[in-house]
Amino acid sequence: MVREEVAVSTRTLQWKCVESRTDSKRLYYGRFILAPLMKGQADTIGIAMRRALLGEIEGTCITRAKSEKVPHEYSTIVGIEESVHAILMNLKDIVLRSHLYGTRDASICVRGPRYVTAQDIIPPPSVEIVDTTQHIASLTEPIDLCIELQIERDRGYRMKTPNNYQDGSYPIDAVSMPVRNANHSIHSYGNGNEKQEILFLEIWTNGSLTPKEALHEASRNLIDLFIPFLHAEEQDINLEDNPNRFTVPFFTFHDRLANIRKNKKGIALKCIFIDQSELPPRTYNCLKRSNIHTLLDLLSNSQEDLMRIEHFRIEDVKQILDILQKHFTIDLPKNKF
């Protein structure tokens, strides 16, 4: 456990981690403060951050399992202690860590008698199992257990949709919520008009990311949601025949660049975020994990710097160079100096 003394600055707004601990491989805890805030601001930030922590952070989980010779979800298999439904619930609890997008396949193929754990899962290269000791099933006889798994990355909670299960494929409730719980509390100090507040945030995660990483991700997602209000001009909403339906025009990277060309004063490069570009999700996530969020961040790097980013390829660098050349007629230097 790590504890630090809380020192409140009355000059600038600052945040700090005041407590951090790992209770188990699947339970991390962190406590953070943000201060000094004016009266009412702590509640505004605390409510928004809690909702973003619980609902806006993406996670990876098993969403489907397939095994032959299984008549229905609530059946039992000779030689296995657990029912099919219990096995599916155990698979639902498996904690995974990855930055993949789309659907990936994994599998389990073992022979009893033995205990089957998460360590027996054969994941794709981009997926890591947080706790390999998680229990899946108990084989009591010398039988083969082969299960095909489907892994996806999403956010929030998605209930399985019923189907006829004729192919032996069973959907699993998708729990793509790395943050298990989040709370906020407020401490007020001072008198009268000079009253100020300290915001305390408590975050529990499932081990696929740390509370500090969750705090950064939630903050980044909140900023992304408000970007259109900061940099987009008001646009007409296209109403269709149904008055309850409307289409909001997509605010694209090209629209923002067009505004820069028209406006001689220009918009600060730090206000142009790379998530508005035409980069593929994998490239965008590699940049994001390297703390490259804006165009200004990107232009502070050389081609050599980009190639040092984990999982980055020469094709990704070329694509970035093409975008910069096409819209800004600038190039990144090959080397820093």
Side-chain angles (χ1 to χ4, degrees):
M1 179 185 296
V2 178
R3 288 183 179 271
E4 299 182 11
E5 295 295 329
V6 179
V8 179
S9 170
T10 58
R11 297 180 180 179
T12 58
L13 192 64
Q14 296 180 342
W15 74 275
K16 190 175 185 179
C17 177
V18 293
E19 185 178 353
S20 176
R21 68 171 185 260
T22 301
D23 294 330
S24 68
K25 290 183 179 180
R26 287 177 281 162
L27 185 59
Y28 289 12
Y29 172 80
R31 191 165 183 248
F32 308 86
I33 63 168
L34 179 66
L37 294 164
M38 297 175 63
K39 184 178 179 180
Q41 289 182 337
D43 209 29
T44 300
I45 298 173
I47 293 173
M49 284 301 302
R50 184 177 186 276
R51 292 183 67 89
L53 286 164
L54 294 176
E56 296 296 330
I57 299 181
E58 294 181 340
T60 305
C61 62
I62 298 172
T63 58
R64 186 172 291 273
K66 181 179 180 180
S67 183
E68 298 179 356
K69 300 179 181 180
V70 177
H72 57 82
E73 181 179 351
Y74 298 99
S75 61
T76 58
I77 302 174
V78 176
I80 301 180
E81 287 187 3
E82 295 82 0
S83 66
V84 174
H85 177 75
I87 294 175
L88 294 176
M89 292 301 98
N90 291 337
L91 291 172
K92 174 182 173 181
D93 293 335
I94 301 294
V95 179
L96 304 173
R97 180 191 293 119
S98 81
H99 296 281
L100 64 82
Y101 280 92
T103 302
R104 297 291 187 275
D105 294 326
S107 63
I108 300 173
C109 193
V110 295
R111 182 171 180 80
R114 59 172 296 177
Y115 289 106
V116 183
T117 65
Q119 186 174 5
D120 297 305
I121 298 176
I122 304 174
S126 55
V127 177
E128 177 187 351
I129 300 170
V130 172
D131 184 4
T132 56
T133 65
Q134 281 185 265
H135 180 74
I136 297 177
S138 300
L139 307 186
T140 58
E141 297 183 13
I143 63 170
D144 293 322
L145 176 65
C146 293
I147 306 175
E148 298 176 16
L149 303 174
Q150 180 177 290
I151 296 174
E152 295 182 53
R153 183 176 176 84
D154 203 346
R155 66 182 181 89
Y157 183 88
R158 187 177 73 243
M159 293 185 64
K160 61 184 179 181
T161 54
N163 60 22
N164 54 17
Y165 309 123
Q166 290 181 354
D167 61 348
S169 178
Y170 298 91
I172 300 173
D173 290 346
V175 186
S176 306
M177 301 171 64
V179 176
R180 287 188 170 188
N181 194 16
N183 290 326
H184 81 278
S185 58
I186 301 169
H187 171 71
S188 300
Y189 63 98
N191 297 313
N193 295 331
E194 297 182 358
K195 195 169 186 179
Q196 294 181 315
E197 297 177 338
I198 302 175
L199 172 65
F200 289 85
L201 278 171
E202 291 182 289
I203 303 172
W204 291 262
T205 68
N206 65 359
S208 62
L209 76 174
T210 65
K212 186 176 180 179
E213 290 171 336
L215 185 63
H216 288 175
E217 184 71 14
S219 302
R220 177 72 261 162
N221 290 339
L222 278 177
I223 292 172
D224 290 345
L225 289 173
F226 288 113
I227 285 176
F229 293 107
L230 295 175
H231 305 295
E233 295 181 0
E234 181 182 356
Q235 300 185 35
D236 294 331
I237 295 176
N238 300 322
L239 296 177
E240 300 179 353
D241 295 336
N242 185 347
N244 295 323
R245 296 182 58 190
F246 61 88
T247 303
V248 178
F250 179 65
F251 187 67
T252 64
F253 184 66
H254 308 287
D255 296 334
R256 186 171 297 177
L257 296 179
N259 290 335
I260 292 177
R261 295 191 182 100
K262 292 178 182 178
N263 186 356
K264 294 182 180 180
K265 295 181 179 179
I267 301 175
L269 295 179
K270 66 181 180 180
C271 296
I272 305 176
F273 289 83
I274 61 173
D275 57 356
Q276 298 293 325
S277 70
E278 54 195 13
L279 294 172
R282 195 191 65 81
T283 305
Y284 164 69
N285 279 294
C286 287
L287 293 174
K288 189 174 179 180
R289 289 196 299 272
S290 299
N291 293 320
I292 299 176
H293 303 292
T294 67
L295 187 59
L296 182 62
D297 297 335
L298 182 60
L299 295 179
S300 301
N301 291 269
S302 65
Q303 297 180 36
E304 186 179 10
D305 294 332
L306 296 181
M307 286 303 300
R308 293 195 187 100
I309 297 176
E310 187 178 5
H311 304 309
F312 226 65
R313 304 171 303 184
I314 185 64
E315 292 82 3
D316 302 323
V317 176
K318 290 180 179 178
Q319 190 170 24
I320 291 174
L321 294 176
D322 290 341
I323 292 175
L324 292 176
Q325 182 64 37
K326 179 179 178 181
H327 300 294
F328 292 97
T329 61
I330 57 176
D331 291 313
L332 291 179
K334 290 186 177 180
N335 302 304
K336 199 72 172 179
F337 302 102

